[in-house]
Amino acid sequence: MIAALRRPQDVRGLSLKGLHLIMAMRVCAMFEASGRDPVPDLAQRYRSVEAACAVHGLVQTIKQVWPEPFMVNRPCCLAITPDEATLANLGRAAVSAHRDLFSAAIAGFVRADRHEALYNATIHAVALIP
């Protein structure tokens, strides 16, 4: 598993929803670094304020429950960080409503008492992403 995380994955291999989740994290990190609110940009991207708020809510939840700073690449980068790869796996499990697969993807990394909040935020975000 560790060796697999060391090999950089490519964003072109993700599903569209997975790509949206990764890019949203990158956009939010970029906006946070500049001191700006990412919701207007996300709303324009998704053509939905509700979707933008759901995705931003997921980002905020990740910041609260992740055991260390969530590492993202620049928006133009094709490589995926290990954190982004984990988020793509969480998104895939949420899209299929496979709760056990979701928990297995973060077992031993994110405390078990934080799984529910992360699962709910992920389900909400993937449901509203076009």
Side-chain angles (χ1 to χ4, degrees):
M1 180 174 189
I2 303 247
L5 287 173
R6 280 192 208 143
R7 285 188 309 270
Q9 295 180 25
D10 192 308
V11 294
R12 294 172 290 191
L14 296 174
S15 68
L16 189 55
K17 290 212 185 224
L19 179 60
H20 277 299
L21 290 176
I22 300 304
M23 291 308 292
M25 288 296 295
R26 292 176 177 186
V27 166
C28 287
M30 185 176 65
F31 273 67
E32 183 176 307
S34 67
R36 294 179 49 210
D37 180 9
V39 173
D41 184 74
L42 292 172
Q44 184 176 19
R45 287 173 186 265
Y46 300 134
R47 294 183 174 93
S48 167
V49 173
E50 188 178 19
C53 289
V55 170
H56 189 251
L58 172 60
V59 170
Q60 295 304 314
T61 301
I62 287 171
K63 286 172 58 177
Q64 291 174 355
V65 304
W66 220 250
E68 57 193 32
F70 192 95
M71 300 304 294
V72 297
N73 279 330
R74 295 179 317 267
C76 61
C77 188
L78 295 178
I80 301 172
T81 69
D83 286 335
E84 291 173 332
T86 302
L87 178 58
N89 289 336
L90 297 179
R92 197 173 306 114
V95 165
S96 63
H98 198 301
R99 179 69 165 89
D100 294 333
L101 184 62
F102 185 94
S103 289
I106 52 175
F109 181 63
V110 174
R111 289 184 0 208
D113 63 324
R114 297 176 174 184
H115 289 198
E116 191 67 26
L118 187 56
Y119 181 72
N120 290 336
T122 307
I123 285 282
H124 189 137
V126 298
L128 293 174
I129 291 174

